[in-house]
Amino acid sequence: MTNLQNRELSIQKDFDKFDWSSAYNNVDIELENEILPLSKGTIIKELNGTLYRNGPGILERDGQWVHHPFDGDGMITAIRFEAGEASISNKFVRTKGFLEEKKQNKFIYRGVFGTQKKGGILNNFLDLKFKNIANTHVIKLGENLLALWEAAGPHALNPNNLETKGLTSLNGVLKSNEAFSAHPKIDLNSKLSSELVVTFGVQAGPKSTIRLMEFSNAGDNAGELLFDRKDTFNGFSFLHDFAITTNWAIFLQNAIDFNPIPFVIGQKGAAQCLKSNPNKKSKFIIIPRESGLYKGQKPIIIDAPKGFVFHHVNAYEDNSKIILESIFYDDFPSVGPDENFREIDFTKYPEGNLKQSIIDLKNQTSEVVTLSKQCCEFAMVNPKRLGLKSIFSWMACTERKEGNAPLQAIKKYNSINNEEIFWSAGERSFVSEPIMIPSKNPSSEDDGFVFIVVWNGERRGSDLVILDAHNLREIGLYELPISIPHGLHGSWVNS
Ligand SMILES: [Fe+2]
């Protein structure tokens, strides 16, 4: 087989919206260790491990579509590599709500992002129950795989066969239904453990409480909670993600209000009741890590730049400053009650821009610099550089240089010289979050691979594409035997 070549961006070509929306279908099969033959390119023999991905796998029941794909039940895909042999498994997380709705073949819960039960407002009025859909991220903590959804606790799964063990309190750490973020950070640079999982939960209200937790994820005590603190702040907090440095956990409290009335009376989903407040200022909430130098000290709160952030890329300390890269939107993007998510007009939604915030802890100020105006999402650095200064990041981006559109390309960004290189999935294909996996014995920060699940609109199926992280050349492509709807987050776990 021959090596594949880079493909250039087809910058101004228009995409076919149906090619994009054709990914949104129910997944109706569950595979178990099905052998994956390489379709194109070269087999990688040096990686032994599993790519786990999470995302919505049920989008319609009894003719009713979810209002937003984020309301779809979580399905885990696992693609294993062992001495060059690849295999694939996929399984739905058996949440209580998934099992109930499967049995009744209809939606019996309202979704946070606007999915309503059939029967109109009257049938949704005062129904404040929610379904933990476990669809946002998947990581390994201790001996379990955790399927994560930020508004409630994690589901534990068997990492080998993906069977659901059930909701877990993590050995008594979490109370029943306690929020547990879907964006844990894996710290490979702590002096206290070769791997720490740092994460948080938010109890939001007129005052909001952030619980910051650090778990060991190596050795005999893998999965054990080592550090735990709680801090309460004024104001409603919508915190999807955070960033860490060696000594700090950094949150951006968006200037958002929550008016629960339309949710309570059955008109809207809870997330549709979030609205930017132009009279409020976003805040950086910077909490000392209990594993760091400033343990026990109070959080620092500093005014933040305008804009809305779901995801951060990385942060590091530079003397008394924290440098933070994030993806900023002009406003909170929400699919309104009368819109069909499969037919949305991308140009009406704000695009994500890569920006760098320089947070001065000493003078308690912040400033922001736009690094790129090209719409992007789902960015990551080499996992070994998380929390430290990193040169490179890899992210999903649009083909166009400005404006919103589906994500159809991968960008490698160099934060030292602003150089960008691209790989395009092609005119009819759409990318998901890229996962950067370092080589076994890396010679540089960008020595490794980038794994991407791609929706191939022409074939109406999913591919796994493996790129060289250094130059974004295609190394290998596997045509997958299942069609995976556009997904959310995932992780790589070495064997
Ligand atoms: Fe996320």
Side-chain angles (χ1 to χ4, degrees), residues 136 182-183 240-241 310-311 378 489:
T136 314
H183 274 286
H240 176 67
D241 192 11
F310 282 113
H311 295 126
F378 300 131
H489 302 290

Side-chain angles (χ1 to χ4, degrees), residues 61 94 141 305 319 347 456 486:
R61 285 198 190 275
R94 264 53 177 182
L141 177 62
N319 295 311
T347 62
N456 182 327
H486 301 302

Side-chain angles (χ1 to χ4, degrees), residues 313-316 323-326 354-358 369-372 380-382 385 388-395 411-421 445-446:
V313 186
N314 197 23
Y316 63 91
I323 313 299
L324 170 71
E325 283 184 15
S326 316
L354 186 65
K355 296 190 182 186
Q356 184 185 68
S357 300
I358 300 137
V369 182
T370 299
L371 301 178
S372 169
M380 75 176 288
V381 296
N382 180 323
R385 302 300 303 170
L388 304 179
K389 186 169 182 177
S390 52
I391 301 171
F392 303 107
S393 50
W394 292 263
M395 62 203 76
K411 172 159 84 175
K412 177 193 178 199
Y413 177 72
N414 180 326
S415 64
I416 303 292
N417 61 13
N418 293 328
E419 188 186 76
E420 301 173 324
I421 61 169
E445 189 185 311
D446 61 346

